[in-house]
């Protein structure tokens, strides 16, 4: 590389570094220049991101009821989603009974059977999902957003 090209590269690098440092100093000395994030109360398919859940095959269920966090599940065939857990983790019902899941967390959750027999929409805070069990068996389910969340419904005749 010729000396002239080397000088040009050094000069441009120095100018770029100077511009960067000037911008950094300005931002550090002028707090109003800092970005101001705004947060949405909108529930989306990605926790912490604003949106309407417009991903194909996924939709967000609107909050249907507000439930106090410390309240027990509403009824014998109810499951609360609270503290990133299904409560109770295992529920026994009879054929024809309807189980209702209620999301009491601020984060969105789903209820998805391992055998594919039922699948909720994304449930926002206070959202509910109900399923009537037509046959006996053991139905394991998870939250597809938080797969460490597990539950079981045992259906007897």
């Amino acid at each position: 590389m010729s000396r002239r090209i080397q000088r040009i590269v050094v000069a441009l690098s120095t100018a770029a570094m100077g511009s960067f440092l000037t911008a950094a100093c300005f931002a550090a000395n002028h707090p109003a220049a800092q970005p101001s994030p705004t947060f949405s109360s909108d529930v989306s398919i990605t926790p912490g991101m604003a949106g309407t859940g417009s991903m194909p095959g996924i939709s967000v269920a609107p909050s249907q009821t507000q439930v106090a966090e410390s309240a027990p599940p509403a009824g014998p065939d109810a499951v609360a989603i609270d503290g990133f857990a299904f409560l109770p983790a295992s529920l026994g019902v009879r054929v024809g009974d309807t189980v209702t899941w209620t999301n009491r967390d601020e984060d969105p959750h789903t209820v998805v059977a391992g055998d594919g027999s039922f699948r909720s929409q994304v449930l926002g805070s206070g959202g509910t999902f109900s399923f009537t069990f037509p046959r006996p068996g053991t139905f394991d389910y998870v939250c597809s957003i938080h797969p460490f969340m597990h539950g079981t419904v045992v259906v007897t005749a």
Side-chain angles (χ1 to χ4, degrees), residues 5-112:
I5 293 175
Q6 286 177 337
R7 285 186 198 145
I8 292 172
V9 169
V10 169
L12 290 174
S13 298
T14 304
M17 186 58 76
S19 296
F20 175 76
L21 291 173
T22 300
C25 290
F26 176 80
N29 292 324
H30 295 85
Q34 297 297 321
S36 175
T38 54
F39 297 94
S40 171
S41 61
D42 188 14
V43 176
S44 70
I45 59 170
T46 305
M49 300 296 292
T52 58
S54 59
M55 192 173 220
I58 298 178
S59 59
V60 177
S63 296
Q64 297 173 1
T65 36
Q66 290 294 2
V67 180
E69 284 186 36
S70 61
D77 297 337
V79 177
I81 304 171
D82 198 356
F84 288 85
F86 294 109
L87 304 172
S90 182
L91 179 67
V93 299
R94 299 184 62 84
V95 170
D97 286 350
T98 299
V99 175
T100 299
W101 288 263
T102 302
N103 182 8
R104 296 191 179 149
D105 278 342
E106 291 184 18
D107 292 290
H109 294 290
T110 64
V111 180
V112 180

Side-chain angles (χ1 to χ4, degrees), residues 4 9 26 31 56 68 88 90 101 113 115 118 122 124 132 135 146-147 154 156:
R4 181 170 184 218
V9 169
F26 176 80
S90 182
W101 288 263
D115 68 358
F118 56 90
V122 176
T132 302
R135 61 182 169 80
H146 310 102
V154 179
T156 57

